[in-house]
Each structure stands twice: as C-alpha cells, then as structure tokens.
C-alpha cells in the first residue's frame, strides 16, 4: 500500500519535525455499518443496482466512498495538517503511481464543526478508499464522539448535555496537546547538557554521602545559586575532566563575610538538611566548603547585589537598593529581610 510507503517517506526523509507512527491502521466497513449507510444515504435508489451478485460487489467497491479506510496516526494535533499537505505534495509528484487517484478537494469540516484531514481515493478505478490523518488526542475523542453522539442509536434525553460535555473535553484535550507539544519541542542548550552531565557524575556520590535520595530540587537550587560565569566555567571544567579522565583542580569559594548577618541567623530560619545537600554538591567544584561556608557565601551574595543595584537588576530574585545601608538603625534587619526573601523558595523553613 502506497500509504505505508508515504509514512516511511516521512520518517526516513525527516521532512518535518514530527512523530508519525509506523503502523498504518486499516479497516473494511462492517456489514452493520454498511447496511446503515446505504439506508441513510439512500444508495439503493441512487445507484443503478444490477441483479448479478458479483456485479453488485463490484458496484459497492466502486461507489461506496469509504468501503476501505486507512488512518495515519501522528502524535500532535498540529501535525495533522503538516502531514496532509505533505501527502498532497507526495501525490502531486506522482509518487503514488498511476493506478491511484486521490481527491484533496472534498470538505474537511465535519457536522460537529471540527476539521478532519482526510482524502478520498480510488484504486485502479475499481476500489474506493479513504485516508484519515489523526493525532492521538483527536483519535480518542473522535471514537467516543462518533459512537456516543453521532451514531447513537437509542433516544437519549441527555444527548445535548453530552454534546456540550464532549466539546468541553475536546477543548481540554487540545490544550493538553499544545502543552505536550511544547515539552516535545523543548530544545536543550549546551549549558543544559553540561549541567545534566554534572548531575550524572555527582548524584550517586552525593546520595551515598547524605544517605538519602537526593531530590532534583537540590540540584536545581545549586545551579540557581552558582550561575555566575566563573561557576559555569568550573562546572564545565569538572565535566571535561570526567570525560577525559584527567585531574580537576577545585577553586576556593571567594566572598566577603558579612558583618551584618551571621550563619546562625540563617540556621534559625531554615532546616539544615537542604543546606547540607547543596553544600555537598558545591564541594565538587569548590574547596573547602562546609554548610557554614555556603551560608556565609549566600549572605554575601545578596549583600553584594544590594550594594551594586545594576548587578541586582539582572537578578530577578532581588530588588537592588543601595539605600539599605544608609540607615544604621534598621540596617541589620534589612539585610536579613533581603536574604530571607531570596532564599525562602530554596530552603525549607523550620
């Protein structure tokens, strides 16, 4: 079947950045569905039905638009149109062969108002078929809507309510589809990959030393704290040393100890475990570093941003305010307020 070759063409050529499932779904219309359709469409009277059975079979194969159905399955809703357009180009380039005729002009709007990307076709002027293109979300919702709303055989006083519910569900599914597509298309930068490698090389060690499962938040907080150019360069050097099996030289954590706030103030507010894990992670690139050293660095970092408002503007967590140092009466309290406002989202409070 040429549709199978077309799917292989999409996956092999990588014409578009999409996910198409390799298995082509197919079906032949059931006897019950066929009987219902010829009555609903009044084909018995519109067709010139012969008396010979073999000729009747040929007539059905030639005249029933969707006797045979194929479905190309893709991952996301937006991919449906991309595949449809590429299918048309594939056909226009005569890659289906002369025995196939495809009609891309038929109406794609269903009675429920939704667009369905489908193509009717004929093989060798003898067999009609239909190709549908559906994503996973559209396929699941369509099966429920088709069987329970469109082809519901029993009277249902709640039918209108069910229609409204299915439309609401479709909106939710489309929204979820867009969010999943964003995740699927997320691209990783070089720095993202470096951080991931750093995690892979250190996580097991940290877990064993702390005798607990290290949560991802600890590494997230570590990377948010140590995000300056010098920090990133050290992380890159560490990863490079692991990849090349060479020695890595740790650096001393450079900071000016605060005269306004002590590590004790910090410990009074936050549980030590999270601090100890982050300091353990930092110890792979900085030496020596303890919980106290890390806390003094965190306090110093906030103070330096307060002293340099221009640098603080680049940091979304802190509003630079050099005037905080002009009032000796409230100076210490102001420093603590800024420090706590910065790290309340990092560490669990007592």
């Amino acid at each position: 079947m040429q549709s199978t070759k077309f799917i292989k063409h999409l996956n092999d050529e990588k014409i578009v950045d999409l996910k198409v499932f390799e298995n082509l779904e197919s079906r032949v219309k059931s006897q019950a569905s066929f009987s219902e359709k010829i009555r609903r469409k009044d084909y018995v009277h519109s067709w010139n039905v012969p008396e010979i059975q073999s000729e009747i079979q040929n007539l059905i194969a030639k005249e029933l638009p969707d006797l045979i159905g194929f479905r190309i399955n893709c991952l996301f809703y937006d991919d449906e149109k991309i595949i449809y357009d590429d299918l048309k180009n594939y056909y226009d380039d005569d890659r289906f062969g002369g025995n196939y005729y495809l009609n891309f002009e038929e109406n794609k709007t269903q009675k429920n108002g939704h667009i369905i990307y489908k193509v009717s076709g004929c093989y060798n002027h003898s067999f009609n078929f239909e190709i549908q293109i559906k994503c996973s979300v559209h396929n699941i919702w369509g099966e429920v809507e088709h069987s329970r709303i469109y082809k519901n055989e029993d009277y249902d006083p709640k039918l209108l309510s069910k229609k409204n519910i299915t439309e609401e569900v479709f909106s939710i599914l489309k929204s979820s589809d867009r969010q999943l597509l964003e995740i699927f298309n997320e691209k990783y930068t070089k720095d993202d990959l470096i951080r991931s490698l750093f995690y892979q090389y250190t996580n097991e060690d940290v877990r064993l030393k702390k005798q607990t499962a290290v949560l991802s938040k600890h590494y997230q907080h570590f990377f948010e704290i140590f995000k300056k150019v010098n920090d990133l360069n050290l992380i890159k050097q560490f990863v490079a040393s692991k990849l090349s099996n060479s020695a890595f030289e740790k650096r001393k954590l450079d900071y000016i100890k605060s005269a306004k706030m002590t590590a004790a103030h910090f410990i009074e507010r936050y549980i030590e475990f999270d601090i100890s894990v982050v300091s353990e992670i930092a110890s792979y690139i900085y030496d020596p570093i303890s919980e106290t050293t890390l806390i003094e660095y965190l306090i110093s970092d906030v103070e330096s941003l307060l002293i340099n408002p221009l640098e603080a503007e680049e940091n979304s967590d802190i509003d630079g305010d050099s005037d905080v140092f002009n009032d000796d009466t409230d100076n210490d309290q102001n420093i603590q307020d800024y420090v706590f406002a910065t790290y309340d989202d990092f560490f669990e409070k007592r």
Side-chain angles (χ1 to χ4, degrees):
M1 176 62 187
Q2 291 297 326
S3 294
T4 304
K5 291 183 179 180
F6 171 67
I7 293 175
K8 189 175 186 303
H9 151 79
L10 285 176
N11 286 326
D12 289 351
E13 300 295 328
K14 301 186 184 301
I15 294 175
V16 286
D17 186 16
L18 49 75
K19 172 66 176 176
V20 183
F21 296 103
E22 293 185 0
N23 294 330
L24 179 72
E25 290 189 22
S26 61
R27 64 105 181 102
V28 177
K29 188 173 284 293
S30 67
Q31 182 177 346
S33 179
F34 169 71
S35 299
E36 184 275 332
K37 187 160 190 172
I38 61 172
R39 290 195 301 271
R40 177 165 49 87
K41 295 289 188 179
D42 199 28
Y43 286 146
V44 173
H45 296 98
S46 61
W47 290 351
N48 184 17
V49 182
E51 295 183 0
I52 302 175
Q53 184 176 358
S54 61
E55 293 182 0
I56 295 176
Q57 291 173 344
N58 292 335
L59 176 71
I60 294 171
K62 186 175 181 179
E63 297 296 336
L64 190 65
D66 59 347
L67 173 64
I68 302 172
F70 299 96
R71 183 161 60 214
I72 299 174
N73 295 301
C74 55
L75 203 55
F76 298 110
Y77 195 80
D78 289 347
D79 294 339
E80 293 179 358
K81 185 177 186 308
I82 296 173
I83 296 171
Y84 176 85
D85 291 340
D86 201 81
L87 177 62
K88 185 176 186 307
N89 293 332
Y90 189 86
Y91 175 73
D92 290 343
D93 290 341
D94 200 27
R95 300 180 69 174
F96 261 82
N99 291 329
Y100 290 89
Y101 168 76
L102 299 183
N103 176 22
F104 289 86
E105 302 302 325
E106 63 180 295
N107 183 24
K108 293 188 287 292
T109 304
Q110 299 173 283
K111 289 185 178 180
N112 57 22
H114 296 290
I115 297 294
I116 181 171
Y117 288 98
K118 64 178 182 178
V119 178
S120 59
C122 184
Y123 173 69
N124 206 25
H125 304 287
S126 301
F127 292 93
N128 282 339
F129 60 88
E130 180 180 87
I131 302 174
Q132 291 186 0
I133 303 168
K134 280 189 174 182
C135 69
S136 301
V137 165
H138 196 178
N139 188 24
I140 295 170
W141 179 87
E143 291 293 336
V144 175
E145 194 271 346
H146 188 74
S147 61
R148 298 303 179 192
I149 305 296
Y150 179 66
K151 279 196 171 182
N152 188 21
E153 297 179 357
D154 300 320
Y155 168 72
D156 188 351
K158 297 291 186 181
L159 185 61
L160 181 59
S161 174
K162 288 182 178 179
K163 284 183 178 179
N164 293 333
I165 292 173
T166 56
E167 288 302 318
E168 291 174 3
V169 170
F170 187 73
S171 297
I172 294 171
L173 290 174
K174 282 194 69 176
S175 176
S176 299
D177 177 272
R178 286 192 295 270
Q179 293 170 347
L180 289 171
L181 179 61
E182 289 183 10
I183 294 173
F184 185 80
N185 289 333
E186 186 72 32
K187 304 298 182 184
Y188 290 94
T189 66
K190 180 181 177 181
D191 286 344
D192 290 332
L193 296 175
I194 293 293
R195 292 185 182 99
S196 295
L197 286 172
F198 179 84
Y199 168 80
Q200 293 298 329
Y201 281 122
T202 60
N203 174 57
E204 186 65 20
D205 249 3
V206 174
R207 185 183 68 82
L208 291 174
K209 288 178 180 178
K210 305 310 295 184
Q211 296 183 349
T212 185
V214 178
L215 303 178
S216 61
K217 69 173 185 178
H218 294 119
Y219 274 87
Q220 185 65 40
H221 294 161
F222 165 76
F223 290 127
E224 289 174 1
I225 292 169
F226 295 96
K227 59 185 178 181
K228 297 184 179 69
V229 174
N230 288 340
D231 301 324
L232 293 176
N233 285 337
L234 270 181
I235 293 172
K236 290 177 183 178
Q237 291 171 27
F238 175 85
V239 170
S241 71
K242 291 296 183 180
L243 291 172
S244 61
N245 198 25
S246 58
F248 170 75
E249 183 180 351
K250 296 181 182 181
R251 302 291 190 273
K252 182 179 179 181
L253 190 59
D254 189 24
Y255 65 93
I256 300 175
K257 186 175 179 180
S258 172
K260 307 295 182 181
M261 181 178 177
T262 66
H265 295 126
F266 205 88
I267 293 298
E268 287 175 4
R269 186 175 182 88
Y270 302 114
I271 295 175
E272 291 184 55
F273 176 72
D274 289 344
I275 301 170
S276 69
V277 175
V278 173
S279 67
E280 185 64 45
I281 298 171
S283 69
Y284 284 89
I285 58 175
Y286 287 110
D287 186 43
I289 187 167
S290 62
E291 293 174 32
T292 301
T293 304
L294 175 64
I295 293 171
E296 290 175 349
Y297 170 77
L298 296 177
I299 297 170
S300 172
D301 197 42
V302 173
E303 280 191 354
S304 65
L305 290 172
L306 293 171
I307 295 172
N308 301 287
L310 291 178
E311 184 180 355
E313 288 177 5
E314 299 175 1
N315 189 305
S316 59
D317 297 326
I318 304 173
D319 293 325
D321 184 4
S322 58
D323 290 339
V324 72
F325 292 97
N326 294 334
D327 187 348
D328 292 334
T329 304
D330 298 325
N331 197 357
D332 292 357
Q333 187 61 49
N334 286 338
I335 290 294
Q336 289 188 33
D337 289 343
Y338 273 102
V339 169
F340 293 151
T342 302
Y343 297 115
D344 275 354
D345 290 335
F346 286 67
F347 306 112
E348 187 174 345
K349 290 186 285 186
R350 295 183 182 278

